[in-house]
Amino acid sequence: MSAINLTIDGREIEVAPGTTILQAARQLGIDIPTFCYDPELAPNGACRICVVEVEKARALVASCVAPVGPGMVVHTESDRVVSARKSVLSLLLANHPLDCITCEKTGECKLQDYCYRYDVASSEYVGAIKDLSYDDTNAFFVRDMNKCILCGICVGKCQDVVGAGAIDFVKRGFVTNVGPGFEDPIEDSSCVFCGMCIDNCPVGALIPKYVTGKGRPWQTESVPAVCPYCSLGCNINLHIKDNEVIGVSPVEESPVNRGHLCVQGKFGWDFVHSGDRITAPLVKSDGVFVEVSWEEALDYIVDSIKDVQSRFGPDALMGLGSPKASNEDNYLFQKLIRSLGTNNVDSYTCHCHASSVDGMVEAFGNAAATNSIAEVAETGAVLVIGANPEESHPILDYRVREAAQKGAELVVAVPDMVKLVDVSDHYLPLKQGTELALVNGLANVIIAEDLLDKAFVEKRTEGFDQFKKTVDKYTPEHVAEITGLTAEEIRAAARAYASAEKAAIVSDAAVNKQTGGADFVKALANLALLTGNVGRESTGVYLPYGENNLQGSADMGVHPNNVTCYQHLKDEKVREKFSRAWGVRISENYGLSAAEAFEAGKNSGIKAMYIMGENPVACGGDKAQIADYMKNLDFLVVQDIFMTETASLADVVLPAAAFAEKLGTYTNSERRVQLNQPALEPPGEVFPDWAVLVELAEWFGFEWDFAGPEEVFAELASLTPDYAGISYQRLSEGGLQWPCPADDHPGTKFLYQDSFSRGLGLFSAVEYDPEAEAESDGHSAACCTSGGHSCRCLSETITRRSVISAFKNSCCV
């Protein structure tokens, strides 16, 4: 259909058919007031504050639901319109507390703003007034439903976006209210405390507890930051007053989270003000930590490490970097360890994700995410298997739900009921540990029914014949016996995934041996290759990590065999490039991984360890054995923000700055590099990790000339082709996804459009192992199919020092 021309307040505009008057007015920058309208929700025209006058129409129309028409002439502020809006406001004020002087919403309240705009100071209507109880029983926010204007946005967000369904309209008529069913306490409902209702409430009915009495909106400074929890890297604004965070809000225009948050992002920041913070260097003397100067601490570290290496060789030292530290911190950390003559540098948390990394590298040549988070919402089918994103990565769960609402076929294959089942087309309650068998069964159906993408398989892949031979025996009937499903359920799920023009797979990076480990990830990759659902927009395999910068720490070379962005140390040209840039000779010997070091224990040859932001003692595996290993090291230095279980065993503990106190970049699971701005001054004698590392390098005799993290990033980008086109200047305008090889490159939304990192995508012939069902891997993750975050290497270091510890499903970072 052709475009429609109309006139709004004397200004002509051309819009697409189906556009509402409100949308057209906003394109012109004309502000029509709204209460109940939200672009993510279906408009209902309930509040009537958005009414406008359309010439030749008999009555005023609600602009949020009224479509434009050819030649339409609209007036948004005529006398009739203003009179109607005043009546609406007067009716609202008749049953609304007028405590604006002390209300925490003052300065951000739509009702207050519109009353001021239309000069409505009081109500002309007199009658009964609601008298509902003030609810402050939960740990996160207060509910004063006497102030609720029944706009319904909180209900829509909770039900349609989040999928929690915790609240709805209850009762009828004058006593209509918003709350949980049967008016139960909100903490006993299905509320996930994402805070979306708070962020979208137009009045003071919902207020976070932490802001009460802390300051008005105009008294605070808003500083952009990156959420410190999971690997999705949501964009947030920290609201600062007097060097204190007093609130957090989501960034509406963020391509990552689009104004959405979960309980961690909305409420989990308060650990930065914990009284448990380490605020000065500590050295253990006679078993007791004592505060010392930075000079004393650094001198002790240098002397101790040099002593160990002089007695046992350079490889007696090992460094553990952090998936919670910035890219700049991790880059300098691995640079320091390698400059000291060893490649023994790794991350303990990578235990959780080793299977995912191995499987993705085998199939595609790269462990990074194939596609962007936002693309999930636009796909035609989604297979969710071996994961419960509603609890492990809620923002991804929102995108899956959005895809289902737009018509995508949703297949949910999990042993236990999860909330995504409510919007699924196919629920496959398979037996725990049989996921790999099911995936092979899906592949069998796709091949048998000729649903594969033959052209893609022939041109872009290898290993198909052996793969086909393997899955031939995984008939739906055979897989049904293994999984407890029916053959027809398996066939229907395979058809749903393979028949869609675009399809995506959502699982979890922290898969373990019980689920099939790396073989399970290879099987998922097989499905994507088989159907051509990789290398295109809104397709791919999504295996998000647990920690916020695990992707970045891996990118930065916190790995025994690779430097930045997986440049392998076996390549002499790589070693020469970094040796020249750093002014040191990089060892050609492979380093020990964290897994190898801890599993070998006292026989690993490691005598000294430098740990930055990791807590192995509190993570998965045999904690007592790991603690014993740590105690028997000749020297241990830990750099962290809290006295963790691991730090308590150290000889030296160095205080570190929290995410809100330092400038730096973080790379999320979709390869998006994002800039985090400092919002607070660190407490006591605390310095950012990068500054500590630069100072320590100088004490070791290395000439590092970095004035700040921007210069650190410039160096790492110059040595890393995938980061070469990224700079702080560009990041200040928004994140960039690598590969970004040049200054004018826009970044890469999805990978493998023309070729895979390994050349051809590799089919893997992987078998289901029934013996694995009863086994578990002490260092890896429990498959997240029945709730909770999957990664057992998350140690609750920050969550137990935050209010979110009160929430039963909070991530244990």
Side-chain angles (χ1 to χ4, degrees):
M1 295 179 64
S2 58
I4 293 176
N5 292 284
L6 70 156
T7 302
I8 305 178
D9 291 346
R11 299 166 62 186
E12 294 184 359
I13 186 173
E14 183 178 88
V15 297
T19 303
T20 64
I21 295 173
L22 176 64
Q23 292 168 335
R26 289 188 171 183
Q27 290 183 36
L28 287 171
I30 296 173
D31 178 31
I32 296 176
T34 62
F35 283 126
C36 69
Y37 174 78
D38 186 279
E40 285 193 319
L41 305 176
N44 57 31
C47 73
R48 315 306 289 180
I49 196 70
C50 73
V51 292
V52 295
E53 183 175 2
V54 177
E55 290 187 5
K56 299 181 181 179
R58 289 183 299 173
L60 300 179
V61 299
S63 62
C64 68
V65 294
V68 299
M72 181 179 280
V73 178
V74 180
H75 302 282
T76 69
E77 293 284 342
S78 67
D79 291 343
R80 287 180 66 196
V81 168
V82 170
S83 177
R85 290 179 185 164
K86 284 186 173 183
S87 294
V88 170
L89 293 171
S90 184
L91 284 166
L92 289 173
L93 287 187
N95 194 26
H96 191 89
L98 298 179
D99 60 348
C100 299
I101 293 176
T102 56
C103 181
E104 293 290 346
K105 196 72 174 183
T106 292
E108 295 179 322
C109 175
K110 277 191 172 184
L111 179 58
Q112 187 182 80
D113 291 345
Y114 294 155
C115 284
Y116 179 83
R117 175 171 168 178
Y118 293 106
D119 193 25
V120 179
S122 60
S123 177
E124 61 190 272
Y125 304 104
V126 179
I129 298 176
K130 288 186 293 186
D131 185 18
L132 301 172
S133 60
Y134 183 81
D135 180 6
D136 65 348
T137 55
N138 73 83
F140 304 102
F141 60 94
V142 296
R143 301 169 67 240
D144 185 356
M145 303 316 292
N146 293 305
K147 294 180 179 178
C148 176
I149 61 172
L150 301 176
C151 69
I153 290 180
C154 60
V155 175
K157 294 286 188 178
C158 187
Q159 295 188 358
D160 298 338
V161 179
V162 181
I167 55 174
D168 204 339
F169 292 104
V170 294
K171 299 185 177 180
R172 295 183 178 182
F174 177 75
V175 292
T176 300
N177 189 15
V178 172
F182 307 105
E183 298 186 288
D184 290 339
I186 192 74
E187 59 269 26
D188 293 336
S189 72
S190 57
C191 179
V192 295
F193 297 100
C194 63
M196 206 176 295
C197 56
I198 301 170
D199 291 327
N200 290 277
C201 181
V203 292
L206 302 169
I207 298 293
K209 279 189 173 180
Y210 53 72
V211 307
T212 305
K214 293 292 183 69
R216 298 299 196 184
W218 59 85
Q219 295 174 316
T220 66
E221 178 187 5
S222 181
V223 181
V226 180
C227 177
Y229 283 89
C230 85
S231 65
L232 299 192
C234 293
N235 299 140
I236 59 177
N237 287 315
L238 300 176
H239 303 298
I240 310 299
K241 184 175 183 288
D242 299 329
N243 202 44
E244 180 184 0
V245 182
I246 65 169
V248 164
S249 61
V251 177
E252 295 290 337
E253 61 274 16
S254 166
V256 179
N257 54 305
R258 283 179 18 206
H260 302 154
L261 290 176
C262 70
V263 64
Q264 283 89 10
K266 180 64 178 177
F267 298 105
W269 48 266
D270 55 330
F271 69 89
V272 301
H273 298 304
S274 169
D276 291 346
R277 290 288 299 274
I278 303 170
T279 57
L282 304 171
V283 170
K284 189 172 287 181
S285 176
D286 296 326
V288 178
F289 283 113
V290 295
E291 288 191 7
V292 298
S293 67
W294 274 99
E295 290 77 9
E296 291 175 282
L298 296 178
D299 190 48
Y300 185 26
I301 292 170
V302 171
D303 287 347
S304 299
I305 290 177
K306 284 183 176 180
D307 175 64
V308 168
Q309 290 187 311
S310 67
R311 289 186 291 124
F312 301 103
D315 288 328
L317 171 67
M318 182 166 203
L320 295 181
S322 175
K324 299 204 75 61
S326 70
N327 289 328
E328 293 78 4
D329 299 336
N330 278 298
Y331 171 77
L332 290 181
F333 184 80
Q334 60 90 30
K335 177 179 179 178
L336 177 62
I337 300 299
R338 288 194 161 97
S339 296
L340 292 171
T342 182
N343 288 314
N344 293 336
V345 60
D346 201 3
S347 166
Y348 187 85
T349 313
C350 285
H351 282 287
C352 272
H353 308 92
S355 295
S356 171
V357 170
D358 293 345
M360 294 284 276
V361 169
E362 182 82 6
F364 305 139
N366 194 316
T370 63
N371 291 68
S372 304
I373 298 164
E375 294 175 43
V376 175
E378 306 301 327
T379 194
V382 185
L383 169 62
V384 177
I385 182 169
N388 181 8
E390 186 259 333
E391 290 187 356
S392 62
H393 298 90
I395 303 302
L396 179 57
D397 182 81
Y398 302 163
R399 301 293 92 82
V400 173
R401 288 179 175 276
E402 185 178 352
Q405 290 168 356
K406 291 179 177 179
E409 284 211 64
L410 176 58
V411 180
V412 180
V414 292
D416 300 318
M417 180 74 72
V418 297
K419 288 183 180 178
L420 268 180
V421 171
D422 295 343
V423 293
S424 68
D425 300 280
H426 307 271
Y427 171 39
L428 306 183
L430 75 170
K431 294 178 182 177
Q432 180 77 46
T434 63
E435 288 86 355
L436 197 156
L438 174 59
V439 176
N440 276 354
L442 298 177
N444 176 287
V445 174
I446 292 169
I447 295 171
E449 298 189 4
D450 201 29
L451 299 174
L452 70 162
D453 187 333
K454 293 180 180 178
F456 187 90
V457 170
E458 290 174 2
K459 296 178 181 179
R460 298 284 308 274
T461 72
E462 59 182 334
F464 175 76
D465 291 339
Q466 185 60 44
F467 158 71
K468 180 180 181 300
K469 183 178 179 181
T470 298
V471 299
D472 276 348
K473 58 179 173 286
Y474 288 87
T475 64
E477 290 72 19
H478 177 53
V479 173
E481 293 177 359
I482 297 172
T483 61
L485 304 172
T486 67
E488 190 50 44
E489 285 176 323
I490 296 168
R491 288 191 176 94
R495 292 165 187 158
Y497 173 76
S499 299
E501 182 181 349
K502 297 178 180 180
I505 298 172
V506 173
S507 191
D508 197 292
V511 295
N512 69 353
K513 191 173 182 180
Q514 184 179 357
T515 313
D519 283 348
F520 172 61
V521 176
K522 293 175 190 177
L524 296 179
N526 288 340
L527 271 189
L529 293 171
L530 186 63
T531 55
N533 278 308
V534 64
R536 295 185 293 133
E537 190 171 2
S538 296
T539 62
V541 180
Y542 291 81
L543 300 169
Y545 299 121
E547 299 270 33
N548 69 319
N549 201 36
L550 196 144
Q551 180 69 60
S553 63
D555 291 352
M556 294 302 102
V558 181
H559 190 278
N561 302 334
N562 302 324
V563 280
T564 60
C565 265
Y566 320 102
Q567 299 175 82
H568 209 286
L569 288 170
K570 70 180 179 181
D571 188 334
E572 184 178 354
K573 292 181 179 179
V574 169
R575 295 198 308 273
E576 286 297 321
K577 178 175 72 170
F578 280 84
S579 294
R580 285 195 305 271
W582 292 353
V584 297
R585 177 56 53 186
I586 296 177
S587 173
E588 61 184 24
N589 299 321
Y590 283 176
L592 279 179
S593 69
E596 291 168 334
F598 283 102
E599 287 166 8
K602 298 174 184 178
N603 297 320
S604 67
I606 302 299
K607 302 294 183 180
M609 193 172 287
Y610 185 175
I611 301 177
M612 180 183 72
E614 290 248 76
N615 189 10
V617 174
C619 291
D622 189 330
K623 296 177 176 61
Q625 182 177 334
I626 293 172
D628 184 62
Y629 172 52
M630 293 284 191
K631 291 174 185 176
N632 284 281
L633 290 170
D634 284 22
F635 183 69
L636 174 62
V637 56
V638 173
Q639 190 167 311
D640 214 321
I641 61 176
F642 296 117
M643 182 59 71
T644 65
E645 291 83 349
T646 302
S648 68
L649 304 178
D651 298 289
V652 180
V653 177
L654 301 178
F659 83 104
E661 298 160 353
K662 61 184 180 181
L663 177 67
T665 60
Y666 297 83
T667 305
N668 74 352
S669 63
E670 62 178 7
R671 298 167 283 102
R672 187 180 299 274
V673 184
Q674 302 184 108
L675 187 62
N676 184 90
Q677 296 286 351
L680 305 171
E681 289 294 327
E685 297 180 50
V686 174
F687 296 95
D689 293 291
W690 72 266
V692 174
L693 292 165
V694 169
E695 186 69 17
L696 186 56
E698 183 176 330
W699 281 69
F700 272 111
F702 303 121
E703 297 181 2
W704 289 8
D705 186 20
F706 297 111
E710 183 171 4
E711 293 184 6
V712 178
F713 190 90
E715 178 178 294
L716 72 88
S718 71
L719 296 168
T720 311
D722 285 338
Y723 276 66
I726 304 175
S727 65
Y728 270 37
Q729 181 177 353
R730 295 190 69 188
L731 292 177
S732 65
E733 301 170 358
L736 288 166
Q737 292 169 274
W738 66 261
C740 184
D743 292 342
D744 58 352
H745 193 281
T748 304
K749 188 175 182 180
F750 59 90
L751 297 176
Y752 315 133
Q753 182 170 6
D754 300 314
S755 65
F756 293 97
S757 298
R758 66 180 306 280
L760 296 174
L762 178 65
F763 281 103
S764 297
V766 293
E767 298 275 11
Y768 161 70
D769 179 9
E771 298 297 322
E773 287 186 47
E775 298 177 9
S776 63
D777 184 340
H779 289 295
S780 62
C783 182
C784 183
T785 54
S786 58
H789 199 287
S790 62
C791 185
R792 278 176 27 211
C793 285
L794 304 181
S795 61
E796 299 185 1
T797 298
I798 63 177
T799 48
R800 69 171 176 258
R801 295 174 172 89
S802 168
V803 68
I804 63 172
S805 61
F807 183 51
K808 59 184 179 297
N809 291 328
S810 64
C811 176
C812 51
V813 176

